[in-house]
Amino acid sequence: MRNRPLAAAMSVLGGVAVLGFIDQFVRLIAVESSLWTFHSLRTAMIFALAAGWLVLSGGRLRVLNWRGVIGRSLVMSTGMLVYFGALGFLPVAQAASGLFSAPIWVMVLSFGLFGLRIGPVRVAAALVGFAGVILVLSPDPANLSVLSLVPVLSGVFYAVAVIATREWCAGEQALTLALGNFACLGLWGLGGLAVISATGAAGSDFLDRGWVTPDADVLWWTFVQAIGSLGAVVLLTRGYQLAEASKVAVLEYSMFGFSAIFGFLLWRDVLSLSGLLGLALIAGAGALIALRGRDAAQPA
C-alpha cells in the first residue's frame, strides 16, 4: 500500500483536534453518570449515526479480515476504556500523557514482535519520554503510586492497535474499524453494568457507579462525544492506513497542545512548570523515535 504522508497528516491532525476539544466535556458526564453507562449510551448513538450516514450516502460496510478487525477492536477498546476511566479524575492533558506514550511502545513492540532494530538514540528517547510521563502524572515523587501510572496502560494497548491497523487491517474501511472499536466499548459498558448489578457493588464515583438514567445534560454531552469521536476516530484510522505508523504517530502529540489550549479556555486548567516540562519531554521523545524510525525500521 502506497504511503500518502500529506493526506495522513491532515487526517491525523483533524482527528486529534476534535478529540482535544470533545474530551474536555467528559468531566461533565462524570459528575452525574458512570463510565459504563457512558460507553453503552455512546455506542448506541454512534451506531445510529453511522446507520443514518450509510442510508443517506448509499454506502455499505465490508470486512475483509474478521480476525484482524476483531483483534484490533478488542485491543483498541481496552486502551480507550482505561483512558476514559482516567478522564473521570484527571485533566485531559494528564490522561493523554499516558495514552500518547504510545509511540514509545510502538517502538518497543515493533522490536519485540517484528525484530526491528532499535539504536541507542531511540532507547534513550524512550527513557526520556517515560520520565516525561511521570512528571506529568505526578510531579511530586511522594505522591507517585502504581495507580497514578494507570493511564500508561492505555498507551500500551493503543500502541498494539496502531501496529495492528497497518499490519492486520490495511485494506479495511475506516468506518468499519471505527465501528468495531465502538462496538467493543459498548460491550465493555454493558459488561460493567452487568457485573455491578450482579455483585451489588455500585459506588458513587464515575468508575464504580452502575446504570444511571441520563438527564438532558448527560444525553447532550454524550451525543457531542458520539458524533465527535466517530468523526475523529475515522480520521485517525484513515491516517494510519495512509502511512506507516512510525511516520504518523508523531503527529498525535499535537493532542497535548489542543488539550492544553481547550482546557485553559474552557476550565482555566493550567499545568505546573514540571507538567509542561513533562509534556515537552514526551513530545520530543516521540518525535525523535518516529523520525529515527523512518530510517532504522529494517529487519534485524
Side-chain angles (χ1 to χ4, degrees):
M1 187 175 182
R2 185 169 63 90
N3 282 319
R4 296 171 58 192
L6 182 58
M10 296 298 291
S11 291
V12 171
L13 288 174
V16 167
V18 173
L19 290 176
F21 178 72
I22 63 172
D23 285 355
Q24 300 291 334
F25 301 102
V26 173
R27 67 174 64 186
L28 298 179
I29 298 171
V31 172
E32 300 293 337
S33 190
S34 72
L35 178 66
W36 318 105
T37 301
F38 166 68
H39 280 306
S40 301
L41 284 175
R42 190 179 67 155
T43 293
M45 291 179 178
I46 284 172
F47 271 82
L49 289 167
W53 166 254
L54 290 171
V55 169
L56 291 175
S57 66
R60 55 182 298 182
L61 295 177
R62 70 180 191 281
V63 178
L64 302 178
N65 178 4
W66 278 101
R67 181 181 297 179
V69 170
I70 292 172
R72 177 192 179 276
S73 298
L74 288 171
V75 175
M76 176 71 84
S77 64
T78 302
M80 292 297 97
L81 189 74
V82 175
Y83 170 66
F84 277 101
L87 285 180
F89 57 89
L90 288 174
V92 176
Q94 285 184 280
S97 69
L99 180 63
F100 288 98
S101 65
I104 298 170
W105 299 112
V106 167
M107 179 196 71
V108 174
L109 294 172
S110 293
F111 169 76
L113 298 177
F114 300 104
L116 302 183
R117 291 176 180 169
I118 301 177
V121 173
R122 288 194 291 164
V123 171
L127 295 175
V128 169
F130 189 73
V133 171
I134 293 176
L135 279 175
V136 174
L137 292 178
S138 184
D140 183 358
N143 295 327
L144 188 62
S145 67
V146 174
L147 185 61
S148 68
L149 297 177
V150 165
V152 177
L153 286 176
S154 64
V156 176
F157 284 108
Y158 190 75
V160 176
V162 162
I163 296 170
T165 300
R166 180 79 176 178
E167 300 296 330
W168 301 345
C169 308
E172 304 289 351
Q173 295 171 290
L175 182 58
T176 297
L177 295 180
L179 291 179
N181 175 48
F182 288 120
C184 285
L185 280 169
L187 292 175
W188 273 112
L190 292 174
L193 291 174
V195 169
I196 291 173
S197 176
T199 60
S204 58
D205 296 325
F206 185 52
L207 298 179
D208 59 10
R209 291 188 190 117
W211 170 259
V212 180
T213 302
D215 59 18
D217 285 341
V218 169
L219 283 173
W220 166 249
W221 290 118
T222 302
F223 177 74
V224 169
Q225 256 286 332
I227 194 169
S229 57
L230 178 60
V233 169
V234 168
L235 287 171
L236 287 170
T237 301
R238 187 58 179 155
Y240 278 107
Q241 288 179 314
L242 291 171
E244 295 172 10
S246 63
K247 298 180 180 181
V248 175
V250 63
L251 299 173
E252 292 202 33
Y253 283 108
S254 60
M255 177 73 167
F256 292 134
F258 290 121
S259 296
I261 291 170
F262 290 131
F264 176 75
L265 292 176
L266 293 170
W267 316 114
R268 291 297 184 265
D269 284 343
V270 180
L271 284 174
S272 65
L273 183 59
S274 59
L276 290 173
L277 175 61
L279 293 183
L281 290 176
I282 298 168
L288 182 58
I289 288 169
L291 293 172
R292 296 279 295 189
R294 294 180 183 181
D295 300 321
Q298 301 295 329

